Amino acid sequence: MLQTIRNAWKIDELRKKIIFTIIIILLYRLGNSIPVPYVDIDLLSQYIDSLSNTVFGLYNVMSGGAFSQATIFALSIQPYINASIIMQLLCIAIPALERMQKEGGEEGRKKIASITRYATVGIGLLQGFAYYMLIRNNGLLAADGESVWAGIVIVLTFTAGSALLMWMGEQITEFGIGNGISIILFASIISRFPGAIITTISNVAGGVTPWYVALLMLVGALLIMVLIVIVTNAERRIPVQYSKRVVGRKMYGGQSTHLPMKVNMSGVLPIIFAQSIASLPATICMFFGITEQSEGFWGSFLRVFNTTSLLYAFIYLLLIIFFAYFYSTIQFNPVEIANNLKRNGGFIPGFRAGRPTSDFISKVLNKITLFGAIYLAIIAVAPIVISCFSESAANSGISLGGTSIIIVIGVALETVKALENQMLMRHYKGFLE
């Protein structure tokens, strides 16, 4: 990876893209340090820290600590992710949107992107208002923050921050390297690692966490990294044979190749989207200032549905598997692949062109998608299950470890691959030379 970055830095155009990406990340981290007005930051930070094992702790990790500080980027990229999920589902459910996405070409994709942006602003308003209600109902506002004007300023600032963050992600995608939203999420999680390491060391030194638990966490993290790299690069190669054909005086085809199918072709998106959906109950309760300390049904519901409960782990697992299949279906169409092979004179040995080929590809796709989904679910859910049965692991914050590691490693591999592809295009001499 370091060699790839070093080689990319030598190319003037890629060097500019890398510098542009770094500048955007620095601006993002600067925005994470600017708090909104009318909020008592110290009280809010203590309150969110007391809920570190709940969905609010997850929000805080995904925002790089901005959520507990009520900064302008406190909502992070969650509104954009939620808007993307909604649009993906609507494009399947509504035929007009599906035609716009598939047949509209570049203009259709621009319209879909524009609708997603408006949806992001709307969801940002809702989540910003929910966050404000949580702050107000728990007495976390400053002395001059009780007025209606203060509430309007806080909500609009949160919404503007989420919209600005969406724009920054799009700029990285267009003028930088890799997927901008993923890189921003990567930067948010990485920024929390030094603090997490210091906290773990302090807990070991203070006797809160036994040293062997910390050692097992380190070994487990290294093993997870190795597994993520192996599975991310793993693929099933289906052999494809092209028949010979004569066009004029030349003979075409006759060569053998393969159809690559990634084991985990959806990357880290199932985990990111599953987190967004699983956090909806707590987000809705924020509107009414309901927390785990609240009395009654909803307080009990949040205590059962926090990020360290078995119920949350089970729902989280099902959502990861669902989104893994959902994205595999969107990205890889067996019928279209089979038709393309048939038009170009290609076939899979042992299967007739057309429907049999499509059925075989679908069967292989289902098998490898199931393996990839289970792999994602185990890595994301196993730390939560461990924390349910180990008080020492729960105190160490391990419940967020698996998810954070898989997102960081996955985004890093995707970014390096994007750099390698861009370098390949610039070093390819073409058929004229």
Side-chain angles (χ1 to χ4, degrees):
M1 183 171 69
L2 294 177
Q3 184 65 33
T4 300
I5 296 175
R6 190 181 301 113
N7 292 336
W9 187 261
K10 297 177 183 178
I11 302 174
D12 183 62
E13 184 178 354
L14 291 183
R15 183 167 62 249
K16 291 179 181 178
K17 289 188 174 185
I18 294 173
I19 293 174
F20 180 83
T21 303
I22 293 174
I23 291 175
I24 294 294
I25 292 175
L26 291 177
L27 290 175
Y28 165 61
R29 293 305 302 163
L30 178 63
N32 265 9
S33 303
I34 302 176
V36 300
Y38 308 116
V39 178
D40 192 323
I41 304 301
D42 294 332
L43 289 178
L44 176 63
S45 180
Q46 295 174 11
Y47 176 75
I48 298 298
D49 288 342
S50 67
L51 304 175
S52 59
N53 286 329
T54 68
V55 71
F56 302 115
L58 181 61
Y59 269 150
N60 199 35
V61 170
M62 294 303 164
S63 65
F67 190 79
S68 63
Q69 301 294 322
T71 68
I72 60 175
F73 292 148
L75 299 182
S76 189
I77 59 172
Q78 294 295 333
Y80 180 80
I81 291 175
N82 293 334
S84 299
I85 294 173
I86 293 172
M87 286 305 302
Q88 293 280 7
L89 295 175
L90 289 178
C91 286
I92 294 177
I94 301 177
L97 289 176
E98 186 177 8
R99 287 194 300 270
M100 183 187 300
Q101 185 183 42
K102 293 183 176 180
E103 303 172 5
E106 186 64 28
E107 190 65 27
R109 285 189 290 271
K110 286 182 179 179
K111 289 182 179 179
I112 294 294
S114 178
I115 297 173
T116 304
R117 294 189 190 102
Y118 287 120
T120 300
V121 174
I123 293 174
L125 280 170
L126 290 175
Q127 292 190 346
F129 179 71
Y131 192 23
Y132 166 72
M133 294 298 294
L134 175 73
I135 294 173
R136 193 189 72 173
N137 292 336
N138 287 278
L140 304 175
L141 291 172
D144 56 346
E146 297 292 340
S147 64
V148 175
W149 168 250
I152 294 174
V153 170
I154 292 173
V155 173
L156 291 182
T157 303
F158 285 145
T159 305
S162 65
L164 178 59
L165 202 53
M166 173 188 63
W167 178 83
M168 293 167 68
E170 291 178 347
Q171 298 307 300
I172 292 178
T173 302
E174 185 174 356
F175 302 108
I177 54 173
N179 185 294
I181 299 300
S182 297
I183 290 177
I184 288 176
L185 185 58
F186 172 88
S188 299
I189 297 174
I190 283 291
S191 66
R192 299 280 297 177
F193 276 11
I197 293 173
I198 293 174
T199 301
T200 302
I201 294 174
S202 301
N203 289 341
V204 172
V208 177
T209 303
W211 66 269
Y212 58 86
V213 173
L215 181 61
L216 288 175
M217 287 173 55
L218 177 60
V219 174
L222 293 176
L223 292 176
I224 287 176
M225 290 180 186
V226 174
L227 177 62
I228 292 171
V229 173
I230 293 174
V231 176
T232 301
N233 294 326
E235 62 184 21
R236 167 73 186 273
R237 297 182 177 182
I238 301 177
V240 176
Q241 181 72 36
Y242 285 91
S243 57
K244 295 181 180 180
R245 52 181 178 153
V246 178
V247 180
R249 295 184 178 181
K250 294 184 179 181
M251 180 177 292
Y252 296 91
Q255 74 270 24
S256 298
T257 182
H258 64 269
L259 178 66
M261 299 177 66
K262 301 286 290 183
V263 173
N264 182 30
M265 62 179 64
S266 54
V268 299
L269 290 177
I271 286 183
I272 297 174
F273 287 0
Q275 287 175 343
S276 300
I277 298 299
S279 64
L280 281 179
T283 304
I284 295 173
C285 289
M286 286 168 59
F287 278 99
F288 308 100
I290 300 173
T291 65
E292 291 188 16
Q293 286 73 35
S294 301
E295 300 291 336
F297 170 79
W298 290 109
S300 302
F301 175 80
L302 286 183
R303 285 191 288 273
V304 173
F305 200 74
N306 64 32
T307 55
T308 58
S309 68
L310 290 177
L311 176 61
Y312 177 89
F314 179 71
I315 295 176
Y316 190 25
L317 182 145
L318 294 180
L319 287 172
I320 290 175
I321 294 176
F322 167 76
F323 280 113
Y325 271 97
F326 175 73
Y327 265 87
S328 296
T329 303
I330 291 177
Q331 294 177 352
F332 204 93
N333 189 340
V335 176
E336 185 177 347
I337 296 296
N339 291 336
N340 289 336
L341 289 176
K342 186 177 181 180
R343 280 195 297 267
N344 292 284
F347 63 94
I348 298 174
F351 297 90
R352 296 195 309 271
R355 179 69 178 273
T357 298
S358 173
D359 292 342
F360 173 72
I361 295 176
S362 298
K363 183 178 179 181
V364 174
L365 178 64
N366 289 333
K367 287 183 178 179
I368 65 173
T369 301
L370 178 61
F371 179 83
I374 292 175
Y375 141 78
L376 287 174
I378 289 176
I379 291 180
V381 173
I384 301 177
V385 176
I386 292 173
S387 66
C388 290
F389 298 99
S390 173
E391 185 177 352
S392 299
N395 292 333
S396 65
I398 193 174
S399 60
L400 300 175
T403 302
S404 302
I405 291 175
I406 196 170
I407 291 176
V408 167
I409 300 298
V411 173
L413 291 175
E414 290 176 2
T415 304
V416 170
K417 187 173 294 185
L419 279 175
E420 291 176 345
N421 291 337
Q422 294 187 46
M423 285 191 295
L424 182 63
M425 288 189 298
R426 283 159 181 78
H427 285 100
Y428 180 63
K429 295 182 180 180
F431 64 92
L432 293 177
E433 297 185 14

